[in-house]
């Protein structure tokens, strides 16, 4: 437990960094997540460069402060008490570049997946269309091996540059990264900086058609209201959304948290929901799935804070 006051922690960290890095104390996190619930981070930082990110990680290690990488917050449920530690967001331009090299896209961890799909289309590279509507960043998609429309992130990854807590940078290949369905264990204690993604030469018209099809499928089967995407991993045998639908739970609510009518695996915030309401709804669903179907649902969304 670190007993330094939060304001002092933020000032000490800012003193190590250039003015281009953003450092703030008591930063509300709800507005930085798509579900829009949860309390503040003690310290919030947007490092301006890899060298400054290394300084942030060393600061956290030296003071035994927990750290958390925040992408676009689309798969994150922050508890109402907020996060005791340092939340790091790689959203400065240094981390968001997308560079085309032949059939590979070198993408910074902070790049938006939608922009990656658009750049691939512009370069005539196919195979990345499924990234089109995932509301996340490259770093977040690597961390959880995000997927949609039959594709998953690590199917297109060739290499990932990662930084360890001491600030050292190495390059890893997917087979060295303990990749599984919606998980990449190697990124639990390392920060992904950038990834080389593989495309295949394709015809612009057909790439564009596929992106449109995916977008239409998404809009017709998923809610537009604030959510964290699919809340649960699909258990063996039945998609979680179908299971929740069969249990008759669509529309069930706890406070302003509600099971979407459009898709059973989406829990939406009707406005002003709290994290404890969302957590209450999660427990209600898990309990029904356990009791009525003998299925243990596991959350896909990362739950953090206190
Ligand atoms: N279904 C229902 N009722 C529902 C929802 C779905 O009967 O309320 C049925 C569908 O009709 C379909 C099946 O369940 O037959 C599967 O549904 P869907 O095609 O929507 O796929 P999913 O397995 O529920 C997965 C990913 C989504 C991704 C979609 C589209 C997981 C946990 N979810 O959903 O990813 O967008 O495929 O490809 O793997 C996310 O990870 O946050 C996410 C939204």
């Amino acid at each position: 437990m670190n007993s330094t006051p939060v304001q002092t922690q933020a000032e000490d960290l800012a003193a190590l960094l250039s003015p281009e890095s953003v450092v703030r104390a008591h930063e509300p996190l709800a507005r930085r997540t798509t579900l829009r619930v949860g309390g503040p981070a003690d310290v919030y930082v947007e490092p301006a460069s890899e060298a400054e990110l290394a300084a942030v990680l060393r600061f956290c290690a030296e003071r035994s402060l927990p750290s958390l990488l925040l992408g676009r917050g689309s798969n994150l449920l922050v508890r109402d008490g907020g996060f005791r530690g340092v939340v790091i967001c790689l959203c400065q331009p240094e981390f968001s570049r997308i560079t085309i090299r032949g059939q590979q896209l070198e993408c910074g961890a902070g790049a938006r997946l939608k922009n990656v799909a658009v750049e691939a289309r512009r370069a005539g590279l196919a195979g990345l269309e499924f990234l089109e509507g995932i509301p996340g960043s490259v770093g977040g998609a690597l961390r959880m091996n995000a997927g949609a429309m039959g594709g998953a992130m690590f199917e297109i990854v060739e290499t990932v540059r990662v930084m360890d807590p001491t600030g050292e940078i190495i390059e890893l290949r997917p087979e060295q990264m303990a990749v599984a369905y919606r998980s990449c264990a190697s990124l639990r204690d390392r920060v992904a900086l950038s990834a080389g993604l593989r495309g295949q030469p394709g015809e612009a018209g057909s790439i564009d058609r596929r992106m449109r099809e995916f977008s239409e499928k998404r809009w017709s089967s998923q809610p537009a209201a604030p959510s964290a995407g699919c809340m649960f991993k699909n258990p063996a045998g039945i998609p979680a959304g179908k299971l929740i639908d069969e249990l008759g739970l669509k529309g069930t609510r706890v406070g302003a948290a509600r099971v979407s009518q459009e898709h059973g695996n989406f829990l939406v915030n009707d406005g002003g929901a709290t994290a404890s309401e969302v957590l209450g709804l999660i427990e209600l669903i898990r309990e029904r799935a356990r009791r009525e179907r003998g299925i243990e649902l596991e959350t896909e969304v990362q739950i953090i804070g206190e």
Side-chain angles (χ1 to χ4, degrees):
M1 199 60 204
N2 190 298
S3 57
T4 314
V6 166
Q7 190 64 42
T8 312
Q9 284 174 18
E11 283 164 14
D12 291 351
L13 178 58
L16 298 172
L17 307 176
S18 72
E20 283 72 45
S21 288
V22 173
V23 182
R24 284 201 282 262
H26 305 296
E27 175 75 358
L29 292 177
R31 61 171 186 239
R32 296 188 181 276
T33 72
T34 55
L35 190 54
R36 308 212 157 267
V37 303
D42 279 355
V43 179
Y44 170 82
V45 55
E46 296 173 4
S49 66
E50 291 185 355
E52 304 222 342
L53 170 63
V56 174
L57 295 179
R58 284 195 293 266
F59 174 87
C60 294
E62 278 158 19
R63 300 194 177 205
S64 305
L65 287 170
S67 64
L68 172 84
L69 261 291
L70 174 70
R72 298 194 56 76
S74 57
N75 199 55
L76 194 62
L77 169 47
V78 181
R79 292 194 183 90
D80 294 315
F83 184 74
R84 302 289 77 77
V86 180
V87 167
I88 305 167
C89 186
L90 304 183
C91 48
Q92 294 237 15
E94 171 84 5
F95 294 99
S96 306
R97 291 201 193 96
I98 302 171
T99 313
I100 313 281
R101 284 203 200 97
Q103 292 176 31
Q104 204 191 62
L105 292 94
E106 181 68 25
C107 304
R112 289 178 184 215
L113 297 171
K114 173 154 219 102
N115 293 347
V116 174
V118 166
E119 287 304 316
R121 178 178 61 190
R122 202 199 308 274
L125 291 173
L128 292 88
E129 299 89 339
F130 72 96
L131 299 175
E132 159 277 333
I134 304 179
S137 63
V138 167
L142 292 166
R143 170 67 181 78
M144 60 163 305
N145 191 17
M149 308 295 154
M153 189 66 177
F154 271 93
E155 289 162 12
I156 55 168
V157 169
E158 290 193 318
T159 57
V160 184
R161 287 176 61 249
V162 301
M163 186 180 281
D164 74 13
T166 70
E168 196 190 332
I169 298 174
I170 56 169
E171 189 165 280
L172 296 175
R173 303 190 67 79
E175 56 274 21
Q176 300 171 287
M177 297 187 72
V179 175
Y181 167 65
R182 293 296 186 272
S183 124
C184 172
S186 297
L187 292 176
R188 281 190 199 139
D189 50 6
R190 294 185 180 112
V191 180
L193 300 173
S194 64
L197 306 182
R198 177 182 54 246
Q200 288 112 38
E203 195 258 311
S206 64
I207 296 173
D208 190 56
R209 259 192 311 283
R210 217 157 24 241
M211 280 171 67
R212 276 171 210 272
E213 273 167 34
F214 288 164
S215 170
E216 274 158 30
K217 182 172 177 216
R218 179 180 305 275
W219 284 110
S220 65
S221 64
Q222 298 183 2
S227 78
C230 283
M231 184 54 75
F232 300 101
K233 293 183 182 178
N234 281 337
I238 183 169
K242 187 159 196 274
L243 169 66
I244 293 164
D245 194 352
E246 287 180 6
L247 289 169
L249 289 171
K250 281 184 167 180
T252 303
R253 57 169 64 246
V254 173
R258 176 174 56 86
V259 180
S260 160
Q261 302 286 356
E262 285 101 334
H263 194 299
N265 201 5
F266 282 64
L267 307 191
V268 298
N269 179 352
D270 276 332
T274 62
S276 39
E277 289 170 350
V278 179
L279 289 163
L281 192 52
I282 290 172
E283 272 323 304
L284 184 155
I285 294 166
R286 295 186 73 213
E287 170 58 25
R288 290 279 301 272
R290 192 181 297 130
R291 200 173 61 217
E292 292 177 36
R293 305 287 287 268
I295 295 174
E296 203 53 55
L297 283 175
E298 199 189 323
T299 49
E300 176 201 284
V301 166
Q302 215 192 330
I303 302 171
I304 62 128
E306 58 177 44

